[in-house]
Amino acid sequence: MCLLRFFMLSPALLLLLLLSGCQQSEQWHAKDISGLMPKLRFELSNAQGESVTEADYAAQINLLFFGFTNCPDICPTTLAQLAAAVRNLPESIRDQVHILFVSVDPQRDEGGRLAEYAGAFGEQVVGLTGTQDQLQALTRRYRVTYGYDEADANGYYNVSHSSAVFAFDADGQVRLLIRDDLTPAQIAEDMQRLQQNT
Amino acid sequence: MKKITLALLTALLIAGGVLWIWTTTAPEALVIDQARIRLVAGSGPQGGYFSLHNRTSTAVTLQSASSPAFARVMLHQTRIRDGQSEMQSLQDGVTVAPGESIEFVPGGMHLMLMQALQPLQVGDSVPVVLEFAGQDQQVQSFTHQFVVVPLTP
C-alpha cells in the first residue's frame, strides 16, 4: 500500500522538480533561493558538547544538512557527496567551506558518536546537535520538519528528516538549495561561484 | 503403440516433475550479485546493497536477512517525499516476480546491518543470510558473501 502511494506520488514530485528547474537561474547548478529564507542563525552544541552559534562558523560558506547517525543510507550518501564536493575545491578555498551536519536525534547522537560519524567524512564536516527546543527553533526557521517513529521491540526507532541541503554565503545569507542529484563537481562549481560572489 | 505413448507420457511427467523441483528449489535460480556493504565510520548501522535476479518460474519473497557479523539485520527502504527523507521497515518483505530483478541501492531499498560484532574494514567479506519464501510458503535461506566497500567508490 505504501509502495503504491509512493508510485502515485512520483509524477507529482517529478512535475515539482521540473517546475523548480525552470525557475532556476542558469548560473547555478543548485536552486537559487536567495532571500527566501532568513540568515543563518542557531544555538546548538558541537560534538564536544560545547554551546555554539552561527558566529562560530562566520565568514565562511556553510552547507546546512539535517540527519542522524543511525542512518546508514541517505545521510552518508549526502554527506559523502558534499564532502567530495569540498575535496573538489581548489585547496586555497577548501577550508572556507564547512558542512554543518545537524543531528535531529540528540538522544542517540551525543558526544563521541556524532564526532566519529561526522569526522569520518573529512575535516570540513562539523557534527552538531541540540536540545529539542534548539532543534525545533532551527528547523522552523528553515521551514523543515523532523519526527520520530515508534520504537520497535529492540528499542530502535526511525527518524524522518528533511533531505534539503541549504548553502549560506560568507555573510550568512541563504543562497542555494542543493539537490541530491547534483554531482560533487557541480556542487564544487557552485561553491566556488558563491565564494567569489559574496 | 499404446505402450510407447504411456512410456513417453511417463517420461514427460518425470521430466516435468524434475524441472518443477529444479525451478522451485534450485538455489542457482536466484542470482544475487554486486553484494556489498558501504562502510560508514563509527558504531552506527551499515547499509547493505545487492541485485537479486529471480530466474525461477515462481514469485519469491525476500522475507528477512541476518548475519553472524551483526546483532541484527533489517530490510529497509529510504523514501524521499516532499523533501522529507524517511526510512521504513519493509515488514512484508520484497516480492520478486519470476524473471524480474530488484536492486537494493543507496537512496532506496537497503539492508540495515546493526551493531557489527567486530570492527569492519574495506575488503572484508561478510556472510549475510537471505531468507526467501516461495509460493508454497516454504522458506529457503541462502548465505551470500557481501564485500565491505568504501562509502565513495
Side-chain angles (χ1 to χ4, degrees):
Chain A
M1 182 59 199
C2 284
L3 212 65
L4 193 71
R5 269 211 313 253
F6 174 69
F7 284 119
M8 279 160 60
L9 239 139
S10 297
L13 273 176
L14 204 69
L15 193 70
L16 207 74
L17 281 173
L18 282 172
L19 283 174
S20 60
C22 293
Q23 292 163 356
Q24 199 173 305
S25 131
E26 275 186 28
Q27 196 193 359
W28 305 102
H29 297 291
K31 190 181 177 195
D32 187 349
I33 56 164
S34 298
L36 297 179
M37 300 261 181
K39 274 186 87 166
L40 184 62
R41 184 178 300 164
F42 58 80
E43 279 175 42
L44 294 168
S45 305
N46 64 16
Q48 286 70 47
E50 300 154 348
S51 295
V52 291
T53 71
E54 74 285 353
D56 294 289
Y57 307 94
Q60 62 181 33
I61 292 169
N62 286 301
L63 306 180
L64 179 67
F65 171 60
F66 301 92
F68 64 117
T69 73
N70 267 280
C71 168
D73 186 52
I74 199 76
C75 307
T77 302
T78 306
L79 281 173
Q81 176 201 27
L82 299 177
V86 171
R87 281 197 302 275
N88 262 321
L89 291 171
E91 218 175 323
S92 55
I93 63 163
R94 208 173 291 163
D95 59 0
Q96 293 163 37
V97 178
H98 279 91
I99 299 157
L100 307 180
F101 173 68
V102 179
S103 166
V104 291
D105 187 17
Q107 195 186 326
R108 289 183 293 192
D109 289 346
E110 279 182 319
R113 182 169 187 141
L114 182 58
E116 199 177 18
Y117 186 88
F121 294 93
E123 283 176 21
Q124 304 308 109
V125 182
V126 181
L128 301 172
T129 190
T131 63
Q132 290 296 338
D133 283 349
Q134 290 174 330
L135 292 169
Q136 270 167 24
L138 177 62
T139 51
R140 266 195 220 118
R141 187 172 174 87
Y142 297 103
R143 294 177 223 149
V144 294
T145 57
Y146 65 95
Y148 309 107
D149 283 357
E150 273 188 37
D152 67 15
N154 295 292
Y156 177 80
Y157 58 90
N158 278 324
V159 180
S160 67
H161 56 93
S162 168
S163 56
V165 178
F166 300 105
F168 296 85
D169 65 22
D171 293 331
Q173 300 289 352
V174 71
R175 300 293 296 274
L176 302 170
L177 178 65
I178 299 169
R179 299 185 310 264
D180 62 359
D181 60 349
L182 296 187
T183 64
Q186 289 173 321
I187 299 170
E189 261 182 57
D190 278 3
M191 295 306 103
Q192 254 181 294
R193 283 190 198 134
L194 207 52
Q195 212 258 343
Q196 291 154 4
N197 244 304
T198 303
Chain B
M1 186 63 189
K2 262 186 186 170
K3 265 185 188 170
I4 296 171
T5 315
L6 201 70
L8 208 69
L9 212 70
T10 314
L12 262 174
L13 272 173
I14 291 170
V18 167
L19 192 70
W20 182 80
I21 290 167
W22 183 78
T23 51
T24 50
T25 61
E28 60 269 30
L30 281 178
V31 180
I32 294 157
D33 55 31
Q34 296 176 64
R36 62 206 188 274
I37 293 170
R38 279 191 331 178
L39 188 64
V40 177
S43 51
Q46 307 289 329
Y49 306 95
F50 58 93
S51 302
L52 168 67
H53 313 285
N54 179 7
R55 293 184 183 149
T56 73
S57 56
T58 57
V60 292
T61 301
L62 173 61
Q63 284 190 320
S64 61
S66 61
S67 170
F70 290 89
R72 242 163 13 117
V73 183
M74 290 148 88
L75 304 181
H76 266 188
Q77 180 167 32
T78 298
R79 290 171 57 193
I80 298 180
R81 197 163 45 181
D82 301 333
Q84 191 81 354
S85 166
E86 293 174 356
M87 212 162 47
Q88 292 187 331
S89 298
L90 294 166
Q91 280 163 346
D92 301 328
V94 186
T95 301
V96 193
E100 298 287 315
S101 299
I102 53 162
E103 303 265 353
F104 273 52
V105 288
M109 291 188 287
H110 56 276
L111 296 179
M112 168 132 152
L113 305 129
M114 302 192 66
Q115 297 165 40
L117 303 179
Q118 280 184 345
L120 296 175
Q121 284 185 334
V122 168
D124 285 355
S125 189
V126 177
V128 174
V129 184
L130 300 174
E131 289 211 329
F132 294 93
Q135 272 179 337
D136 50 5
Q137 295 304 310
Q138 208 178 344
V139 176
Q140 295 180 67
S141 303
F142 300 118
T143 302
H144 203 84
Q145 296 296 324
F146 279 58
V147 180
V148 179
V149 297
L151 193 58
T152 42

